[in-house]
Amino acid sequence: MDELKKIIKRGIITSIVILIYGVLSANKYIYIGMFIGAILSVIGFYMICLDAKASLASNSPFKVGVTGYLKRYFIYGIFLAVATKFYGFPMLVSGVMGLLNIKINITFITLFNNIKKFKSKYLK
């Protein structure tokens, strides 16, 4: 449970950094597309956590999992469709990059933990 909170916390921090960078650079693709995508990424990850709890408590975990999956990807699809419709292809790309926020954070956390294990095991 601590790892999930750590991932969500780092996702929120990354979202705030994206917003600050976007405002400072005055690039609407960063502070609109990437920031909203990053926030939706954090919300989607939180929805995954809630769906996992609901699946464990439910009599039909498959149905709970599939409906949760469809809800998340419907939200992502609506966001990307609206971003593309009003701002064009560059906003689609920046929105997709924002949606990868949690995945990138999980990759960095795993990489950092593996480097720490390697250093403690081989580089004493």
Side-chain angles (χ1 to χ4, degrees), residues 11 22 32 42 44 47 51 53 63-64 67 94-95 98 105 120:
I32 294 174
V42 173
M47 288 173 65
D51 289 342
K53 287 182 185 178
K63 184 177 177 182
V64 172
T67 55
S94 65
N105 277 309
S120 66

Side-chain angles (χ1 to χ4, degrees), residues 10-112:
R10 287 191 180 187
I12 292 170
I13 291 170
T14 305
S15 301
I16 292 169
V17 168
I18 289 170
L19 178 65
I20 292 170
Y21 176 70
V23 169
L24 291 178
S25 68
N27 189 341
K28 68 180 176 184
Y29 299 119
I30 294 175
Y31 70 82
I32 294 174
M34 282 183 73
F35 176 68
I36 294 174
I39 292 297
L40 286 177
S41 175
V42 173
I43 291 170
F45 185 72
Y46 184 69
M47 288 173 65
I48 289 172
C49 296
L50 293 178
D51 289 342
K53 287 182 185 178
S55 292
L56 291 174
S58 175
N59 291 336
S60 58
F62 180 75
K63 184 177 177 182
V64 172
V66 170
T67 55
Y69 176 83
L70 291 174
K71 282 190 288 188
R72 283 191 313 276
Y73 280 89
F74 182 73
I75 292 169
Y76 298 157
I78 293 294
F79 162 65
L80 293 175
V82 168
T84 305
K85 172 81 173 146
F86 292 110
Y87 294 102
F89 185 73
M91 187 64 78
L92 172 72
V93 173
S94 65
V96 169
M97 288 172 44
L99 287 173
L100 295 174
N101 174 23
I102 289 293
K103 291 170 181 55
I104 292 169
N105 277 309
I106 290 171
T107 303
F108 283 148
I109 290 170
T110 305
L111 184 64
F112 182 71

Side-chain angles (χ1 to χ4, degrees), residues 114-124:
N114 287 340
I115 289 171
K116 280 183 12 184
K117 287 179 188 176
F118 180 81
K119 283 175 70 174
S120 66
K121 187 174 182 180
Y122 294 110
L123 303 174
K124 290 183 181 182

Side-chain angles (χ1 to χ4, degrees), residues 2-16:
D2 290 332
E3 289 291 322
L4 296 177
K5 289 179 183 178
K6 184 178 179 181
I7 291 169
I8 291 173
K9 185 175 111 178
R10 287 191 180 187
I12 292 170
I13 291 170
T14 305
S15 301
I16 292 169

